[in-house]
Amino acid sequence: MSQVLVLVDHVDGAVRKPTTELLTIAARLGEPAAVFIGQGYDNAAATLAEYGAQKVYQVEGEGIEDYLVAPKAEALAAVVSQAGEVAAVLLASSGENKEIAGRLAVKLDSGLITDAVDVQAGENGPVTVQSVFAAAFSVTASVTKGVPVITVKPNSAEPQTVAGVTPELVSVPVTISDLARTAKVVERRAKEKGGRPELTEAAIVVSGGRGTDGNFGPVESFADALGGAVGASRAAVDAGWYPHSSQVGQTGKQVSPTLYVASGISGAIQHRAGMQTSKTIVAINKDPEAPIFELVDFGVVGDLFKVLPQATDEVLKRK
Ligand code: FAD
């Protein structure tokens, strides 16, 4: 069976959830194999086995983690050439990974598909689905040349554990080219940890817009009751009510959670561009004509300062 390579996203070996989703998708397409680059493999090993990685390629190259994306593309290309038959390379859709994927596709002379929301096995290789134009269209696509390189949005699959897997560990020595050494990491600063999940990876996102009038309290309380992340529209960010790192949309983050709750957000096209692929969309808006209602699965016409606290109480009662 052909292998499906998954680039492991991790912080010092702590494997991030999108990688477990990709291993689950990889199992549909062939034999899941993880590619681990950087320090901390010992911390990652158990998780990779738990989610069914049959093989782990551990890339070793002097100082590889000291450089930006270029060495990772070289490392993945080296793994592809060492691995034998490879059905696809999967990466979680993030800014960094999309850059790696583009460089890798050029190196492999392969086709590239980014931001897939579904990947299934097809007769001639993986078949992907992308959601475009504010979710108005779905595009089904396949790579027609080379080893398909595919980036997949977080929350596109429910991670499945697999019992009794002991991955074969394969070491891949890589020498980073001078070309890939032209940009170097000079400092890494840990992000301040709130108790909330990372916005782009969260299964639930509750966002607030101009309708909050700067009071994100009810939005945060509802997000916390559901164990979700907090997002914001650009109007809220531009007003200085919430940090830009929480902005959802065309010029902010792209999210694809299981549940997206838009409160006090009108639903401008630029906002939709960042959340249209969410599985279930709920809006709370006091204007029944707000464009966001064209997009939602459930809409509540009402004042967010009344609706959100009631919803929060209901959730907490059921806990
Ligand atoms: P508004 O459009 O002002 O909507 C506020 C809504 O809140 C209204 O529908 C109102 O009925 C409702 N409301 C008011 N009070 C209450 C209440 N008490 N309870 C319930 N509802 C209430 N926007 C983004 O979000 N993300 C982006 O990345 C982004 N990128 C952009 C890029 C470009 C190049 C441009 C030109 C614009 C971009 N925008 C982006 C801005 C976008 O066009 C909208 O201006 C913005 O999304 C509006 O934010 P909003 O929905 O919070 O505010």
Side-chain angles (χ1 to χ4, degrees), residues 26-38:
R28 296 176 197 155
L29 311 174
E31 187 183 88
V35 179
F36 187 91
I37 301 174

Side-chain angles (χ1 to χ4, degrees), residues 20-281:
T20 62
E21 295 163 9
L22 293 186
L23 287 169
T24 299
I25 291 172
R28 296 176 197 155
L29 311 174
E31 187 183 88
V35 179
F36 187 91
I37 301 174
Q39 304 291 323
Y41 174 68
D42 289 348
N43 298 331
T47 309
L48 298 178
E50 193 185 350
Y51 288 92
Q54 305 288 325
K55 253 187 198 164
V56 178
Y57 293 94
Q58 190 181 8
V59 175
E60 287 161 2
E62 204 194 320
I64 194 161
E65 64 277 4
D66 294 342
Y67 293 90
L68 297 175
V69 294
K72 291 183 183 160
E74 289 188 352
L76 275 170
V79 174
V80 171
S81 73
Q82 184 172 322
E85 212 182 316
V86 174
V89 181
L90 305 181
L91 303 89
S93 280
S94 63
E96 179 175 312
N97 281 354
K98 281 193 262 188
E99 193 180 335
I100 294 170
R103 287 168 182 262
L104 177 65
V106 170
K107 285 180 193 304
L108 299 177
D109 199 15
S110 291
L112 164 71
I113 293 173
T114 56
D115 288 338
V117 292
D118 191 22
V119 189
Q120 298 289 343
E123 264 178 43
N124 301 310
V127 178
T128 66
V129 177
Q130 293 157 295
S131 176
V132 297
F133 295 138
F137 295 92
S138 292
V139 175
T140 304
S142 291
V143 165
T144 54
K145 187 182 178 203
V147 175
V149 178
I150 302 169
T151 78
V152 184
K153 282 194 166 188
N155 295 308
S156 294
E158 189 58 41
Q160 309 282 333
T161 57
V162 183
V165 175
T166 309
E168 179 192 341
L169 188 59
V170 182
S171 162
V172 183
V174 170
T175 309
I176 309 165
S177 72
D178 286 345
L179 198 63
R181 291 176 190 265
T182 48
K184 193 169 179 175
V185 176
V186 287
E187 188 190 359
R188 280 199 176 82
R189 229 181 285 159
K191 228 167 75 180
E192 270 178 46
K193 280 242 182 291
R196 301 194 182 106
E198 164 68 29
L199 182 59
T200 52
E201 295 171 11
I204 297 175
V205 174
V206 183
S207 287
R210 205 193 306 267
T212 62
D213 204 18
N215 177 3
F216 263 65
V219 175
E220 291 180 334
S221 300
F222 192 46
D224 290 341
L226 294 170
V230 175
S233 73
R234 178 158 160 184
V237 169
D238 284 352
W241 300 337
Y242 233 67
H244 180 256
S245 56
S246 302
Q247 183 179 314
V248 172
Q250 185 185 316
T251 43
K253 301 246 168 84
Q254 311 264 310
V255 301
S256 196
T258 314
L259 173 64
Y260 186 85
V261 182
S263 32
I265 292 177
S266 60
I269 186 81
Q270 296 90 353
H271 187 78
R272 292 180 186 205
M275 44 64 79
Q276 67 199 13
T277 54
S278 306
K279 311 284 173 305
T280 301
I281 299 172

